[in-house]
């Protein structure tokens, strides 16, 4: 009580339990503060320090960060939605209706998930255009642009697979039309369509495959490429400050 | 014999042909075989062997249900039964543009697709819209009990009529 809060926190950080959990950076020196990030499994994907110039709003409009935020909201709302959803026909439609009417906060979760999905697609395109128009794809950042395009495709696939899950008329016909577009690809089109749907038409197999794609395979792919995307930003010299910046 | 023993020295074995190289080749080769085998098994796994889909042969009922000069749509099976002057024929109701279900419009005398505006005549010929081909004619036949059977998996290359 006599000691101030910050003194108590410093004492806490010097206890044996704390030092066994957090192996590096238990003091207040600059080295300790750097180690607290660099030695942490979850935090060390980010850099210890960033240039002040990379935090300027006018450079990026924070669009990349907003994309990441939308992704976090989608995961945080998507997982609870999975607890009330059965990916079978015709149960899926009934579950969607239940989420709207019977489940506590179901309307909020579902609506937030759907709106965030639309926002995510919009933000991803805006982020792509902003990166392009300020020239942040030029060497040494060319490969990160490619990773970004892969992430764009994964985002669109997540959107497409998620669209079928409510199993309403809009979902059914959208996926019917989309899969017919796929079958117009020469040589491999019809075969890829058969594999994607697990059959000749959009039915129970298609719903289950799209569910697994939407909830497991595509999120894992997205997470992997997001990690590569962030890693490359760090290694290529941080956020590109623009050609007029003296440190560009 | 002693010549053989002298021959097995490091300098006489050409590079790339040592025992180690042989093992590496065998190892990498087996990995390649295993990977391609896994790919084949994986592809076979993804392709379902059993499909729970309705039979493509639809039973449209007795011939007498279709009066002359009528166009009847069976939305459940996605087909049109048309009784023309030459006889009865069946068409697929699936739009040739992107797969939506078309609808018969008796007041206009045409078949129209709600998705992107394609319009077809009662013989399937495209009148307007983005559809690239006319509606498919399907193989129709009469069963032993006198029912009209339409095989939705058998498109006809040229027009055939079922004589009534």
């Amino acid at each position: 009580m006599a000691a101030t809060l910050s003194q108590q926190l410093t004492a806490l950080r010097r206890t044996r339990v704390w030092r066994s959990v957090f192996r590096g950076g238990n003091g207040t020196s600059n080295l300790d503060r750097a180690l607290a990030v660099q030695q942490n499994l979850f935090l060390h994907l980010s850099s210890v320090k960033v240039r002040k110039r990379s935090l300027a709003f006018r450079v990026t409009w924070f669009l990349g960060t907003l994309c990441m935020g939308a992704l976090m909201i989608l995961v945080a709302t998507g997982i609870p939605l999975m607890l009330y959803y059965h990916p079978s026909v015709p149960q899926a439609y009934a579950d969607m209706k239940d989420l709207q009417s019977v489940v506590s906060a179901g309307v909020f979760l579902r609506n937030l998930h759907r709106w965030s999905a639309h926002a995510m697609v919009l933000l991803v395109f805006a982020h792509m255009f902003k990166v392009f128009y300020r020239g942040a794809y030029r060497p040494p950042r060319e490969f990160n642009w490619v990773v970004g395009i892969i992430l764009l495709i994964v985002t669109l696939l997540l959107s497409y697979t998620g669209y079928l899950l409510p199993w309403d008329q809009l979902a059914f016909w959208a996926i019917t039309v989309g899969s017919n577009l796929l079958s117009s690809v020469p040589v491999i089109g019809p075969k890829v369509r058969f594999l994607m749907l697990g059959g000749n038409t959009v039915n129970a197999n298609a719903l289950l495959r799209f569910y697994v794609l939407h909830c497991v395979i595509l999120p894992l792919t997205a997470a992997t490429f997001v990690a590569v995307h962030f890693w490359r930003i760090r290694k290529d010299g941080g956020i590109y400050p623009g050609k007029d910046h003296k440190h560009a | 014999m002693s010549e053989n023993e002298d021959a097995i020295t490091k300098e006489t074995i050409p590079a790339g042909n040592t025992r180690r190289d042989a093992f590496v080749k065998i190892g990498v080769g087996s990995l390649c075989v295993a990977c391609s085998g896994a790919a084949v098994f994986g592809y076979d796994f993804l392709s379902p062997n059993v499909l729970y889909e309705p039979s493509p042969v639809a039973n449209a009922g007795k011939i007498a249900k279709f009066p002359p000069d009528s166009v009847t749509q069976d939305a459940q099976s996605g087909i049109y039964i048309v009784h023309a002057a030459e006889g009865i024929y069946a068409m697929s109701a699936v739009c040739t543009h992107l797969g939506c279900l078309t609808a018969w419009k008796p007041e206009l005398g045409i078949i129209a697709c709600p998705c992107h505006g394609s319009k077809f005549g009662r013989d399937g010929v495209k009148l307007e819209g983005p559809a690239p081909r006319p509606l498919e004619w399907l193989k129709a036949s009469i069963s032993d009990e006198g029912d009209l059977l339409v095989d939705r998996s058998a498109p006809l290359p040229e027009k055939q009529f079922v004589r009534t």
Side-chain angles (χ1 to χ4, degrees):
Chain A
M1 291 321 150
T4 65
L5 184 61
S6 104
Q7 282 171 333
Q8 283 179 327
L9 284 174
T10 311
L12 176 69
R13 279 199 292 269
R14 295 219 179 100
T15 59
R16 244 178 96 182
V17 173
W18 185 279
R19 285 154 69 94
S20 82
V21 175
F22 301 105
R23 293 182 57 252
N26 292 319
T28 51
S29 68
N30 275 347
L31 175 63
D32 285 322
R33 292 163 70 203
L35 285 173
V37 172
Q38 200 262 339
Q39 294 283 317
N40 189 306
L41 169 71
F42 304 101
L43 296 177
H44 85 289
L45 188 62
S46 325
S47 37
V48 168
K49 293 183 188 175
V50 292
R51 291 276 173 199
K52 213 167 172 188
R53 66 182 181 235
S54 71
L55 300 176
F57 178 79
R58 59 159 194 82
V59 174
T60 61
W61 296 349
F62 300 159
L63 284 166
T65 310
L66 286 171
C67 292
M68 190 63 192
L71 185 61
M72 297 283 96
I73 293 175
L74 284 164
V75 172
T77 53
I79 294 177
L81 285 170
M82 287 172 78
L83 297 179
Y84 282 99
Y85 177 83
H86 306 80
S88 56
V89 312
Q91 185 66 20
Y93 182 75
D95 289 337
M96 186 266 293
K97 284 296 189 187
D98 276 351
L99 278 162
Q100 301 272 86
S101 57
V102 171
V103 172
S104 304
V107 155
F108 177 70
L109 274 175
R110 196 227 168 180
N111 286 356
L112 187 54
H113 194 77
R114 188 122 188 171
W115 277 102
S116 303
H118 294 320
M120 175 100 186
V121 174
L122 186 78
L123 285 168
V124 159
F125 273 102
H127 174 56
M128 178 177 77
F129 287 133
K130 187 68 176 150
V131 167
F132 178 74
Y133 281 119
R134 66 190 186 88
Y137 56 87
R138 293 201 206 103
R141 296 178 173 86
E142 320 97 301
F143 180 65
N144 209 19
W145 173 266
V146 175
V147 174
I149 297 299
I150 293 173
L151 281 169
L152 172 69
I153 295 171
V154 171
T155 303
L156 295 174
L157 286 173
L158 276 163
S159 207
Y160 183 66
T161 51
Y163 210 67
L164 179 64
L165 301 186
W167 199 246
D168 53 8
Q169 285 289 330
L170 196 62
F172 180 84
W173 291 110
I175 280 29
T176 299
V177 164
S179 62
N180 284 344
L181 278 165
L182 176 59
S183 71
S184 68
V185 170
V187 183
I188 58 168
K191 200 64 199 166
V192 174
R193 176 181 182 274
F194 183 74
L195 285 177
M196 182 179 85
L197 295 180
N200 296 309
T201 55
V202 178
N203 49 21
N205 274 2
L207 180 62
L208 189 54
R209 289 191 179 207
F210 273 40
Y211 185 68
V212 174
L213 275 167
H214 185 75
C215 298
V216 179
I217 300 173
L218 289 171
L220 283 175
T221 313
T224 308
F225 281 103
V226 164
V228 175
H229 202 60
F230 287 2
W231 181 253
R232 285 305 305 244
I233 293 171
R234 272 183 67 185
K235 291 305 167 186
D236 294 337
I239 300 286
Y240 177 62
K243 63 177 171 48
D244 299 325
H245 196 281
K246 61 184 189 303
H247 288 143
Chain B
M1 279 242 251
S2 60
E3 286 164 10
N4 281 342
E5 284 166 0
D6 287 339
I8 306 175
T9 60
K10 235 193 213 175
E11 296 85 52
T12 56
I13 302 179
N17 280 339
T18 62
R19 214 168 270 165
R20 183 191 173 123
D21 293 320
F23 270 118
V24 168
K25 272 195 203 135
I26 292 170
V28 171
S30 350
L31 261 177
C32 286
V33 170
C35 278
S36 33
V40 170
F41 274 109
Y43 178 82
D44 276 341
F45 167 77
L46 289 174
S47 185
N49 299 320
V50 178
L51 291 175
Y52 296 89
E53 288 169 5
S55 161
V57 179
N59 188 329
K62 296 278 181 280
I63 293 269
K65 269 170 44 179
F66 310 107
D69 210 36
S70 66
V71 177
T72 314
Q73 175 166 14
D74 184 351
Q76 195 63 17
S77 43
I79 57 176
Y80 296 109
I81 314 290
V82 186
H83 194 157
E86 302 93 327
I88 291 186
Y89 62 91
M91 285 195 307
S92 169
V94 174
C95 182
T96 53
H97 180 221
L98 286 173
C100 288
L101 212 55
T102 56
W104 164 245
K105 302 286 179 197
E107 65 277 8
L108 299 169
I110 56 166
I111 293 167
C113 179
C115 287
H116 310 104
S118 297
K119 294 182 176 56
F120 306 86
R122 52 165 68 202
D123 57 349
V125 155
K126 186 196 88 168
L127 301 172
E128 65 176 83
R133 294 178 308 279
L135 291 177
E136 265 176 3
W137 283 44
L138 302 170
K139 184 154 179 37
S141 54
I142 303 188
S143 75
D144 296 330
E145 289 88 26
D147 291 338
L148 182 67
L149 300 177
V150 178
D151 188 350
R152 288 169 297 179
S153 66
L156 295 173
E158 42 183 49
K159 298 183 181 185
Q160 281 175 27
F161 298 87
V162 171
R163 308 279 172 218
T164 52

